[in-house]
């Protein structure tokens, strides 16, 4: 079963995460404080000292290889949705330019900075529901319920 696409207006936020802070937790806290309901990462540049990632080929019964990386690393890509059950992928480059990437499990400790632009689809709401076919909670995109603005 495929999910129909949905359009929305866009609101943009920017945040700088400082050395020693945990990137994913900081982004999730920002989303919670701002009450963003359909947030996603537009772009990110920065560096990390460590990261915990799940590599490709995971299934619900075989979570595959988890790697705990120690850097420093440049963030060459950070993408995904930031609803409470965030689904984020990252690509990192080491001092030789070798790259590794995967599903973010956490422990993303900022080295010098992480400059993140977050978008919000203001007319939508992102949630996750268990998908029996994949065995994972997958993205559900719904129109945002309208609130009564009259007083």
């Amino acid at each position: 079963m495929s999910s129909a696409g949905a359009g929305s207006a866009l609101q943009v936020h920017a945040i700088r995460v400082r050395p020693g802070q945990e990137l994913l937790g900081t982004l999730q806290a920002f989303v919670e404080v701002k009450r963003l309901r359909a947030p996603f990462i537009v772009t990110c540049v920065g560096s990390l000292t460590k990261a915990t990632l799940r590599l490709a080929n995971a299934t619900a019964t075989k979570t595959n290889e988890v790697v705990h990386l120690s850097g420093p690393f440049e963030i060459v890509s950070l993408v995904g949705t930031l609803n409470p059950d965030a689904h984020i992928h990252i690509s990192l480059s080491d001092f030789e330019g070798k790259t590794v990437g995967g599903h973010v499990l956490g422990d993303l400790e900022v080295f010098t900075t992480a400059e993140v632009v977050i978008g919000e689809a203001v007319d939508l709401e992102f949630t996750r529901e268990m998908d029996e076919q994949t065995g994972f909670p997958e993205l559900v995109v719904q129109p945002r319920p309208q609130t009564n603005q009259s007083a």
Side-chain angles (χ1 to χ4, degrees), residues 1-123:
M1 177 176 149
S2 68
S3 179
S8 175
L10 174 67
Q11 186 170 32
V12 177
H13 305 268
I15 181 174
R16 176 176 176 230
V17 184
R18 299 191 174 274
Q21 291 184 291
E22 200 284 319
L23 181 56
L24 179 58
T26 301
L27 294 177
Q28 288 177 308
F30 179 85
V31 164
E32 185 175 326
V33 166
K34 296 290 186 179
R35 298 182 182 200
L36 307 182
R37 295 174 62 187
F40 56 93
I41 295 170
V42 175
T43 192
C44 174
V45 295
S47 59
L48 301 175
T49 58
K50 59 183 179 176
T52 300
L53 309 177
R54 184 182 70 220
L55 302 182
N57 201 23
T59 65
T61 57
K62 178 185 157 210
T63 57
N64 206 12
E65 186 177 356
V66 172
V67 293
H68 303 278
L69 304 171
S70 294
F73 298 101
E74 288 290 327
I75 300 169
V76 295
S77 177
L78 183 70
V79 297
T81 54
L82 282 168
N83 53 306
D85 297 316
H87 186 186
I88 307 295
H89 289 191
I90 195 168
S91 292
L92 302 170
S93 171
D94 68 13
F95 69 96
E96 295 178 331
K98 295 178 183 171
T99 59
V100 63
H103 176 91
V104 172
L105 295 178
D107 204 27
L108 301 178
E109 185 177 285
V110 173
F111 180 42
T112 59
T113 192
E115 302 164 4
V116 187
V117 178
I118 299 168
E120 182 187 24
V122 297
D123 302 317

